[in-house]
């Protein structure tokens, strides 16, 4: 029997039928085994059997099936008195079966025993208000272009359902009510219902997918994490919590224009929502609009009047080795200023001069003296001149450009700004290229002093440190070593380091760069250049398909890797987030026009 319906021209002309005529198919042909809807075919499958136990995302095999599938979950809560009465009746039936078996001297059916125990547990949770009962109907409508494809698709869906012990049956002779049941009409025309409790129903949350962090039964629930985007293959949500990984570090590698800064800004903004304190080293002033929107602090290194004294001691740090650690940092700083590590004679002279300079300022190993004004780099150079050793005199001469010469503006005075707040952006845009590496190192040192402060561990405040264009430090041995130390020691101080770079060779081409990557539990790969794909593929163990995907990836598309787990994702943002994250000239021009109108 076939029933064929078609929208009449008169009905389509009615004003009330305008919307229905626009969205409805031209015709629906009903057969016992399927429907012909417009130019395609559809068949409805009804879930009639459920597994005895389910875990989170138990509908995942059906939701991630690659074909076109409409899944409808109809939920009807049962009133508490009705639920209690039905449960009492069910338990009485189980107890009756137990007694009958015992009176006949037979063994009790194991399935009855299990069902009776489950019913007793559910009755206890209902009595305590820890659970409720619902009548649930689960229906699947499979679509295909041809009749043969539909039969094959239905077989695949049945196999996917059977993989999780879900039993489905075709809605024979009832495919038209089945199709309308899976439309967004909130009408269940099949009424093939099953009673479920709150826990089993919650585990069927329809947005669950392999891209969400999966939990095993008994695992503690997660409340953190941020939205990274959606999976372009499964349309699932990619949600990631870096703070629950073995370390909190991340590395983002991509070619210029691939959307790495856009992704990082979204990550920063969504971490700020959760109370994370963020510090950013920004070489190109890309994060200033974000800082302005959230009330952050901007430190513009290199701008007139902005000074940063590298000899400052951490405020409030009373540990006995504070002066020693400051001296070690000054050794690193001088090496970066000179472009290489000084020879042994100059290093020895520098060590003597550092201690002598602090003593002349009245600062010793005694923490009671650490509140006194710190000496300047010029004082250190003067101490080297007065040393009398040829190596000390030569080192002082080599430091002249940063003390009295062209690069002295940043160092020739006490620190003029205190970087405090929930978001601090260290802008390097005003620094000359020769001082970019030094500026990055000074910013990271100031950030590390706040992360390593004795009180920060007790407060357990999460801190995120973002180093954009990290190749500025990676190309310098001492700077890369400082970054590596921060990546290793940050976890114990509730801190995570995000390293972003477009120069993959500087990261993967050195031992220290590879060590920084290895110490990042979260690894983000966006579009890669053909010249770098082999190095990236070998370093991250990419398959041939993943390499092709990264070569052809659109802006914002990439790969999230953590250990052996990996998933593709596409960054998504709300309109307000997009306005803060975009750097496209056309978007910025539109934003400027909007501001002018306001």
């Amino acid at each position: 029997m076939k029933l064929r319906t078609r929208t009449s021209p008169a009905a389509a002309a009615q004003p009330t039928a305008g919307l229905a005529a626009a969205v409805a198919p031209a015709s629906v042909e009903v057969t016992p085994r399927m429907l012909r809807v417009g130019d395609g075919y559809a068949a409805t499958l009804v879930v009639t059997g459920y597994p005895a136990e389910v875990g989170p995302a138990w509908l995942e095999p059906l939701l991630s099936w690659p074909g076109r599938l409409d899944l409808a979950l109809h939920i009807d809560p049962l009133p508490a008195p009705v639920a209690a009465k039905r449960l009492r009746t069910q338990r009485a039936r189980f107890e009756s079966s137990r007694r009958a078996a015992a009176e006949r001297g037979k063994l009790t059916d194991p399935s009855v025993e299990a069902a009776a125990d489950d019913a007793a547990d559910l009755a206890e949770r209902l009595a305590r208000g820890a659970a409720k009962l619902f009548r649930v109907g689960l229906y699947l409508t499979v679509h295909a272009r041809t009749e043969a494809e539909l039969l094959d698709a239905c077989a695949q869906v049945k196999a996917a359902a059977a993989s999780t012990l879900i039993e489905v049956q075709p809605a024979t002779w009832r495919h038209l009510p089945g199709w309308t049941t899976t439309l967004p009409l909130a009408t269940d025309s099949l009424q093939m219902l099953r009673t479920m409790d709150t826990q089993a129903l919650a585990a069927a949350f329809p947005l669950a997918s392999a891209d969400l962090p999966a939990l095993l039964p008994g695992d503690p629930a997660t409340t953190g994490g941020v939205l990274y985007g959606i999976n372009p293959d499964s349309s699932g949500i990619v949600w990631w919590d870096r703070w629950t990984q073995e370390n909190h570090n991340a590395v983002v590698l991509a070619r210029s224009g691939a959307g790495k800064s856009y992704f990082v800004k979204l990550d920063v903004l969504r971490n700020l929502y959760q109370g994370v304190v963020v510090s950013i080293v920004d070489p190109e002033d890309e994060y200033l609009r974000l800082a302005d929107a959230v009330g952050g602090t901007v430190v513009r290194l290199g701008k007139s009047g902005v000074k940063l004294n590298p000899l400052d001691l951490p405020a409030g740090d009373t540990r006995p080795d504070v002066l020693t650690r400051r001296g070690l940092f000054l050794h690193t700083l001088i090496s970066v200023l000179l472009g290489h590590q000084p020879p042994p004679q100059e290093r020895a002279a520098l060590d003597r001069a550092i201690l002598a300079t602090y003593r002349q300022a009245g600062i010793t190993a005694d923490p009671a003296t650490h509140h006194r004004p710190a000496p300047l780099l010029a004082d250190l150079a003067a101490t080297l001149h007065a040393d009398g050793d040829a190596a000390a005199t030569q080192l002082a001469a080599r430091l002249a450009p940063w003390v009295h010469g062209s690069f002295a503006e940043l160092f020739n005075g006490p620190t003029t700004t205190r970087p405090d707040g929930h978001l601090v952006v260290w802008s390097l845009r005003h620094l000359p290229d020769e001082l970019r590496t030094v500026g990055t190192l000074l910013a990271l040192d100031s950030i590390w002093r706040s992360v390593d402060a004795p009180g920060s561990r007790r407060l357990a405040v999460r801190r995120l440190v973002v180093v954009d264009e990290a190749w500025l430090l990676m190309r310098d041995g001492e700077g890369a070593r400082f970054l590596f130390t921060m990546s290793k020691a940050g976890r114990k101080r509730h801190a995570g380091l995000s390293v972003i770079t477009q120069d993959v060779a500087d990261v993967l081409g050195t031992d220290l760069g590879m060590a920084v990557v290895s110490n990042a539990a979260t690894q983000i790969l966006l579009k890669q250049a053909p010249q770098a794909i082999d190095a990236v593929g070998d370093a991250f163990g990419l398959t041939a398909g993943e390499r092709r995907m990264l070569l052809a990836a659109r802006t914002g598309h990439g790969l999230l890797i953590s250990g052996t787990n990996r998933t593709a994702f596409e960054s998504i943002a709300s309109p307000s987030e997009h306005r803060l994250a975009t750097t496209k000239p056309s978007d910025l021009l539109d934003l400027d026009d909007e501001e002018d109108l306001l």
Side-chain angles (χ1 to χ4, degrees):
M1 180 185 73
K2 294 186 178 181
L3 174 63
R4 188 176 181 89
T5 62
R6 185 181 297 273
T7 304
S8 66
Q14 297 295 326
T16 57
L19 178 61
V23 301
S27 64
V28 178
E29 183 178 329
V30 183
T31 71
R33 299 176 58 193
M34 67 190 70
L35 298 176
R36 184 172 182 179
V37 183
D39 58 351
Y41 292 81
T44 299
L45 303 175
V46 181
V47 177
T48 57
Y50 295 82
E53 295 183 3
V54 295
W58 59 277
L59 287 180
E60 166 59 22
L62 299 177
L63 292 169
S64 61
W65 185 69
R68 182 185 171 190
L69 176 69
D70 297 333
L71 186 148
L73 191 65
H74 291 266
I75 305 169
D76 184 18
L78 278 176
V82 176
K85 181 179 178 180
R86 292 187 180 182
L87 194 55
R88 282 196 300 270
T89 303
Q90 191 73 2
R91 293 185 65 191
R93 187 179 298 113
F94 291 142
E95 290 298 330
S96 176
S97 299
R98 280 178 170 177
R99 292 196 192 97
E103 290 173 358
R104 296 172 185 173
K106 296 182 179 179
L107 293 175
T108 307
D109 187 348
S111 60
V112 174
E113 287 285 345
D117 293 339
D118 291 342
D121 176 66
L122 181 57
E124 181 181 354
R125 288 190 285 120
L126 284 175
R128 289 187 283 108
K132 293 183 179 180
L133 290 184
F134 302 86
R135 297 283 285 169
V136 178
L138 184 57
Y139 312 101
L140 316 167
T141 296
V142 186
H143 297 265
R145 302 295 298 176
T146 65
E147 187 173 344
E149 290 179 3
L150 180 64
L151 296 176
D152 183 60
C154 288
Q156 294 180 21
V157 172
K158 287 183 179 180
S163 67
T164 53
L165 302 181
I166 297 175
E167 183 180 348
V168 297
Q169 295 295 335
T172 305
W173 292 101
R174 303 184 68 189
H175 286 288
L176 181 59
W179 175 56
T180 58
T181 296
T182 56
L183 292 176
L185 303 175
T187 301
D188 185 356
S189 303
L190 294 179
Q191 291 294 312
M192 300 290 289
L193 304 176
R194 171 71 176 264
T195 303
M196 290 187 187
D197 66 345
T198 308
Q199 186 176 1
L201 184 58
F205 186 62
L207 290 182
S209 73
D211 308 310
L212 286 168
L215 293 179
L216 297 175
D219 286 352
T222 58
T223 57
V226 298
L227 175 67
Y228 271 29
I230 59 173
N231 189 322
D233 299 323
S234 66
S235 298
I237 293 176
V238 181
W239 189 275
W240 188 251
D241 189 356
R242 69 190 296 162
W243 305 104
T244 61
Q245 307 308 310
E246 57 190 15
N247 63 62
H248 313 320
N249 303 326
V251 60
V252 182
L253 303 181
R255 67 182 300 176
S256 178
K260 58 183 183 300
S261 295
Y262 188 95
F263 164 78
V264 173
K265 290 172 195 171
L266 297 179
D267 187 29
V268 166
L269 188 59
R270 291 162 185 173
N271 273 281
L272 286 171
Y273 294 155
Q274 301 183 10
V276 178
V277 177
V278 183
S279 300
I280 303 174
V281 180
D282 180 11
E284 297 297 335
D285 282 358
E286 294 189 69
Y287 298 82
L288 299 189
R289 280 186 294 116
L290 175 61
D292 182 63
V294 301
T297 302
V298 178
V299 181
R300 292 178 169 87
L301 296 181
K303 203 166 186 181
S304 178
V306 178
K307 314 289 184 183
L308 196 61
N309 183 13
L311 280 77
D312 282 339
L313 296 178
D317 194 343
T318 59
R319 287 174 289 185
D321 62 340
V322 171
L323 197 58
T324 301
R325 286 186 286 110
R326 183 77 333 211
L328 294 175
F329 169 73
L330 290 173
H331 277 276
T332 300
L333 175 66
I334 298 302
S335 298
V336 173
L337 290 176
L338 300 179
H340 61 87
Q341 193 176 68
Q345 297 85 351
E346 293 185 8
R347 290 204 304 271
L350 176 61
D351 198 61
R352 294 194 307 271
I354 290 172
L355 297 176
T357 302
Y358 278 111
R359 281 197 303 269
Q360 293 169 9
I363 299 174
T364 64
D366 184 3
T369 65
H370 293 176
H371 67 281
R372 295 172 179 170
L376 304 177
L377 189 62
D379 299 324
L380 178 61
T383 304
L384 286 169
H385 268 298
D387 186 279
D389 185 14
T393 304
Q394 183 175 352
L395 180 59
R398 297 171 67 188
L399 290 177
W402 293 274
V403 177
H404 308 291
S406 305
F407 306 141
E409 177 69 20
L410 183 61
F411 307 103
N412 60 0
T415 299
T416 59
T417 180
R418 296 294 177 187
D420 298 319
H422 58 285
L423 173 64
V424 178
V425 176
W426 294 81
S427 169
L428 310 181
R429 182 69 177 269
H430 300 280
L431 285 175
D433 292 341
E434 292 81 3
L435 284 181
R436 288 289 183 94
T437 302
V438 178
T440 303
L441 183 63
L442 291 174
L444 286 176
D445 171 64
S446 180
I447 294 169
W448 178 251
R449 279 186 280 171
S450 63
V451 170
D452 193 42
S456 63
R457 299 195 193 189
R458 292 193 300 269
L459 295 175
V461 176
R462 291 174 175 173
R463 296 179 180 270
L464 177 60
V465 182
V466 178
V467 184
D468 206 344
E469 302 300 346
W471 59 271
L472 291 171
L473 271 183
M474 288 296 183
R475 65 187 180 183
D476 182 88
E478 292 297 326
R481 191 172 291 106
F482 186 88
L483 205 61
F484 170 63
T485 302
M486 180 179 287
S487 70
K488 288 189 64 177
R491 180 183 62 84
K492 299 178 181 178
R493 296 162 176 81
H494 308 287
L497 175 67
S498 286
V499 175
I500 301 99
T501 184
Q502 65 184 18
D503 200 330
V504 178
D506 282 338
V507 176
L508 302 181
T510 63
D511 293 338
L512 285 174
M514 282 298 300
V516 171
V517 172
S518 301
N519 277 279
T522 303
Q523 300 164 344
I524 305 295
L525 302 179
L526 302 177
K527 185 173 184 178
Q528 301 294 321
Q531 296 82 0
I533 192 62
D534 289 336
V536 173
D538 294 340
F540 294 92
L542 302 181
T543 64
E546 291 169 340
R547 299 185 189 208
R548 289 193 297 270
M549 186 271 284
L550 292 178
L551 285 174
R554 299 193 301 272
T555 302
H557 288 237
L559 201 62
L560 165 63
I561 301 175
S562 181
T564 58
N565 301 317
R566 57 192 65 197
T567 183
F569 74 94
E570 174 189 0
S571 296
I572 57 174
S574 67
S576 57
E577 288 177 326
H578 176 75
R579 284 194 291 270
L580 298 177
T582 183
T583 54
K584 291 178 61 176
S586 57
D587 292 342
L588 296 178
L589 184 60
D590 293 339
L591 292 176
D592 292 339
D593 292 340
E594 291 179 8
E595 293 176 358
D596 292 340
L597 291 175
L598 294 175

